[in-house]
Amino acid sequence: MRFSAVIVAAGGGTRAGPGLAKQWRTVAGKPVLRWSVEALLAAGARELVIVVSPDGEALAFEALAGLKGWSTARGGATRAASVQAGLRAIGGAADEPVLVHDAARPFVTSAHVRGLLVALIDADG
């Protein structure tokens, strides 16, 4: 099943304490965001939009260096506004599934994505 994805990475990550927001920190040698981007691309995302804050675009390019198949969109003042910005940036068919993921959650796998897509076959939304 074809799908697109939005990863919301515009948050400040203040609960993670001082320093960079969680999505830009490193876990097991990679930025947290990169784990999710790699998994969604490996699962076959047709289009992947990373929603970032105004100062997050350069961090995204650094964290995702060498990966293809993604673009950025500017986030909003709230998580809901950021998700909407990501959805507006997707160019797929109106009936194509779009998965929305939080950048601070690095352990999504291709198996999770496949399971979600199978579950959507009989779902209304």
Side-chain angles (χ1 to χ4, degrees), residues 60-89:
F61 279 97
E62 181 180 332
L64 304 176
L67 295 178
K68 294 182 171 131
W70 61 275
S71 62
T72 61
R74 186 68 52 95
T78 65
R79 181 181 307 269
S82 291
V83 170
Q84 289 172 348
L87 292 172
R88 281 192 303 273

Side-chain angles (χ1 to χ4, degrees), residues 35-55:
W35 288 98
S36 298
V37 170
E38 288 177 348
L40 287 162
L41 290 174
R46 180 192 62 77
E47 186 173 4
L48 180 57
V49 175
I50 315 298
V51 183
V52 296
S53 63
D55 59 342

